[in-house]
Amino acid sequence: MVGNPASVPVTWTQVYDPFGHWWLSTLIAALPIVVLLGLLAGLKVRAHLCAMAGAATAILIAIVAFKMPALLAVSSFVYGAAFGLLKIVWIVIAAVFLYNISVETGQFEIMKQSVAAITPDRRLQLLLVAFCFGAFIEGCAGFGAPVAIAGAFMIGLGFKPFQAAALNLIANTSPVAWGAIGTPVHTLAAVNSLSESDLSAMIGRILPITAVIVPFWLVRAMVSWKETVEVLPALVVVGGSFAVTQWFWSNHMDSNLVDISAGIVSLVVTVLFLRLWQPKRIWRFADETSVDPLSARESIQNYSAGQIAKAWMPFAILSMFVLCWGLPSVKAALNRATTPSFKVVMADSKPRPGPPGWDWPYLHGKVLRTMPVVAKPTAEAARFDFNWLTATGTGCFLAAVIAGLLLRLSLPRIFGIFGKTLVRLRFAIIAMTCMLGIGFVTRYSGMDAVLGLAFTRTGWLFPFFGTYIGWLGVALTGSDTSSNALFGSLQKITAQQLNLSPILMCATNSAGGVMGKMVDAQSICIATAATNQVGNEGSIFRFVFWHSVGLAAIVGVIVMIYAYVLPHYVPGGLNFIH
């Protein structure tokens, strides 16, 4: 099925002040998010019901307040839900599936003991798994994979489900800007026609500063100040090695492997450091027995090197699959192998060659985004890429099946585990698809633009509040890539009007956006699904909200310094990315 947008008899232009008073329009545009988060955090309604209510509100506001044709509004919701199922939900299902296989075969118990042999201290395990390993997975796959995988991993290690979910959301902030092989930066450069080298370098001059802070912030969110300071040397090593690698790679190499390299370097350096140093006091949860490093190392000696390697094999296979699935050359080869060539019908009804996929019916090319959100009126594309084989979730699923076979599980038993995984995640699947639908309705109706434009009224403080435009974009859509696509042009236009660097402000959109990752409803649902916390989304949101706002404020201060104190450090003319 190839949709033909030209067959729809309407073309609708977005309106950014439907009530003639920007503040009133902003309040109305915020209603879907108010309903969603109000029910979730305030009234503690279950997430899938909150998402359904938020979706209904978004569609109603789009039709009644913003005068969006009902067919376009409903189509945008279905488009978002379909996108969410293939690109997001599929990753979560596959990641939890692989974790369940590891548990079912008893391999996870060996993995737990091997990590404990490095350090039995829960603070240091948090850094190794949530921060270092999570950053590597974010660099490979993105789109919720690190929260799902690392969250499930931490549950297996013995962390409380609430802590595993909430702390992984905080840890996931550092690598998001270069997630999924640099997809957010690629999108930002394409939207604004700015140098990708300059944008990557500028983001790499903002986020390494926060990368030093986040490990400290992460541990402090779990323990007291005194207990945080006890592992200060490890915090410096973790954050410092990650930040230096992130800065170097983003400023001198490319935008594809920034997180992968930083995650690997920080993990290796930290493991080596912990062979030489351990805290004087091993911190465990109150209900756990105390463990000393020597006994933890002795326990793993009960297993051979081959048994330990076998236990880690599922996650090693997963890492290789998500890395390969994220490489453009691999994606292109899989696309050619699985998709026949055909012609795509564009809005002007002229057939022309195009990439595999469909023009989404009754939406593609039917919505016009106008100034000041974009430099010139632009028809919003709505193309659904149904290349299921190249979806990251498919790579994760195949990794799980292969791991199960290598662990000598029969196919019926493997798919039995998969069926149990689907049943366990059924409510989370509904919640995540509805939340992606909300994000797409706000995008195509222009509600997101109305909210973003409210921040542009801050004058000389715009570098600070421009950070929160990116934050808002990710909070709404669940994706730094989507936030860059939505607000990248707005940041550039406003920067030019205020005589600020477009490179700085566009990079700020991405850097500020990463701090919104922990509060977007989609990521919270992923975290609760992976840690068997479905129904506890409101508590997690309340826990991470002020962490998110505070870290975004730090990014805002850094951007203000670059804008008004150190403008000569804003890059221009770099060309190491081709």
Side-chain angles (χ1 to χ4, degrees), residues 90 94 97 317 321 325 388-389 393-404:
W90 186 213
F97 174 42
I317 293 173
F321 265 79
W325 249 244
W388 60 271
L389 185 57
T394 302
C396 296
F397 176 79
L398 292 175
V401 172
I402 291 173

Side-chain angles (χ1 to χ4, degrees), residues 382-396:
R383 306 217 58 244
F384 188 67
D385 176 9
F386 192 65
N387 288 316
W388 60 271
L389 185 57
T390 60
T392 303
T394 302
C396 296

Side-chain angles (χ1 to χ4, degrees), residues 41-88:
L43 300 180
K44 302 180 181 179
V45 178
R46 297 193 70 176
H48 66 286
L49 299 177
C50 296
M52 293 166 66
T57 304
I59 294 172
L60 187 64
I61 294 297
I63 296 170
V64 176
F66 285 77
K67 308 302 181 185
M68 187 181 194
L71 188 59
L72 297 185
V74 173
S75 182
S76 64
F77 172 79
V78 178
Y79 178 39
F83 178 90
L85 274 172
L86 182 63
K87 303 296 185 181
I88 310 293

Side-chain angles (χ1 to χ4, degrees), residues 9 64 68 97 190 196 280 289 476 555:
V64 176
M68 187 181 194
F97 174 42
E196 186 175 329
K280 293 181 179 179
T289 57
L476 288 173
V555 173

Side-chain angles (χ1 to χ4, degrees), residues 47-184:
H48 66 286
L49 299 177
C50 296
M52 293 166 66
T57 304
I59 294 172
L60 187 64
I61 294 297
I63 296 170
V64 176
F66 285 77
K67 308 302 181 185
M68 187 181 194
L71 188 59
L72 297 185
V74 173
S75 182
S76 64
F77 172 79
V78 178
Y79 178 39
F83 178 90
L85 274 172
L86 182 63
K87 303 296 185 181
I88 310 293
V89 177
W90 186 213
I91 295 175
V92 180
I93 293 171
V96 176
F97 174 42
L98 180 134
Y99 166 73
N100 288 341
I101 285 177
S102 182
V103 172
E104 189 87 6
T105 56
Q107 302 305 313
F108 210 93
E109 187 63 31
I110 303 175
M111 291 179 64
K112 286 164 53 178
Q113 294 192 36
S114 67
V115 173
I118 299 172
T119 175
D121 192 291
R122 294 299 189 190
R123 297 165 296 187
L124 302 179
Q125 291 176 356
L126 172 64
L127 294 174
L128 289 171
V129 177
F131 188 82
C132 300
F133 181 61
F136 171 77
I137 297 297
E138 176 67 37
C140 293
F143 298 106
V147 174
I149 295 169
F153 197 120
M154 286 175 61
I155 289 287
L157 286 174
F159 282 77
K160 304 294 187 293
F162 181 89
Q163 290 171 320
L167 294 173
N168 267 286
L169 287 168
I170 296 174
N172 191 225
T173 55
S174 291
V176 166
W178 294 277
I181 319 292
T183 300

Side-chain angles (χ1 to χ4, degrees), residues 37 471 518-519 540-550:
L37 298 182
W471 179 91
M518 70 181 88
V519 294
I540 292 173
F541 174 80
R542 288 191 296 272
F543 179 84
V544 300
F545 179 78
W546 291 112
H547 294 285
S548 176
V549 172

